[in-house]
Amino acid sequence: MVYLVVVLTVLCLVNLLLTVGVVRRLREHTELLAEQAAAPPPPLRPGTRVPGYAELTGATEESVIGFLSPGCEPCRTLLPGFLERAGAAGSSLAVVVGGAERAKEYTDRITGHVEVAVEEMGGPLTSAFQVTVFPTFFVVAPDGTVLGSGNGLTALERPAGAGARP
């Protein structure tokens, strides 16, 4: 009888240890899934071609393009740095996504510094560049090849050996 109690106790302890291990592993997986869900999807990567780029932008030289959205605090924070870098580029475009009325807070500040386009989410430029989060920045070659991309101003810096920027 004592033998049976000892065996059942050992089995319960093993079961408890296995359950604790499974719960710990589930927590790790939950954290990983939450991190992946929170991370913005990457924009078009360098080396990718933007479909219909010349027709959409009319650019004939290397361009700096920024996608901004009204009410976006990171967009508001990065706007001066974008304007500074875009102003030094040969060609630049700020795409304000959110409709003309809402875009006014940006268009007033941007006009005179860079070319401005206003469109709704899913418009021709946001679709071609596959933009889903804001801000998103690109450096694009005249043939539509993405040279740099990302959600911060570092996207506007070309990698070493990629050629000089204006």
Side-chain angles (χ1 to χ4, degrees), residues 73-160:
E73 191 56 40
C75 296
R76 192 173 293 117
T77 302
L78 296 176
L79 181 60
F82 167 71
L83 291 176
E84 180 182 317
R85 289 187 172 127
S91 174
S92 53
L93 172 66
V95 181
V96 183
V97 180
E101 194 61 39
R102 290 186 60 222
K104 190 159 177 50
E105 73 174 272
Y106 285 124
T107 56
D108 290 346
R109 291 176 63 190
I110 296 169
T111 302
H113 297 281
V114 299
E115 187 178 339
V116 181
V118 177
E119 68 178 32
E120 294 291 337
M121 188 65 176
L125 289 165
T126 54
S127 295
F129 282 86
Q130 301 175 13
V131 174
T132 57
V133 296
F134 301 96
T136 301
F137 303 103
F138 296 91
V139 177
V140 185
D143 67 353
T145 302
V146 175
L147 303 173
S149 65
N151 302 105
L153 294 177
T154 56
L156 303 178
E157 298 170 6
R158 297 273 297 281

Side-chain angles (χ1 to χ4, degrees), residues 26-106:
L26 282 172
R27 282 189 188 144
E28 290 173 6
H29 282 245
T30 301
E31 290 172 7
L32 287 172
L33 287 173
E35 287 174 17
Q36 290 175 353
L44 292 176
R45 297 195 184 283
T48 307
R49 280 214 172 176
V50 179
Y53 174 75
E55 294 81 19
L56 287 169
T57 65
T60 58
E61 57 188 328
E62 185 175 297
S63 301
V64 171
I65 301 173
F67 288 84
L68 309 163
S69 178
C72 165
E73 191 56 40
C75 296
R76 192 173 293 117
T77 302
L78 296 176
L79 181 60
F82 167 71
L83 291 176
E84 180 182 317
R85 289 187 172 127
S91 174
S92 53
L93 172 66
V95 181
V96 183
V97 180
E101 194 61 39
R102 290 186 60 222
K104 190 159 177 50
E105 73 174 272
Y106 285 124

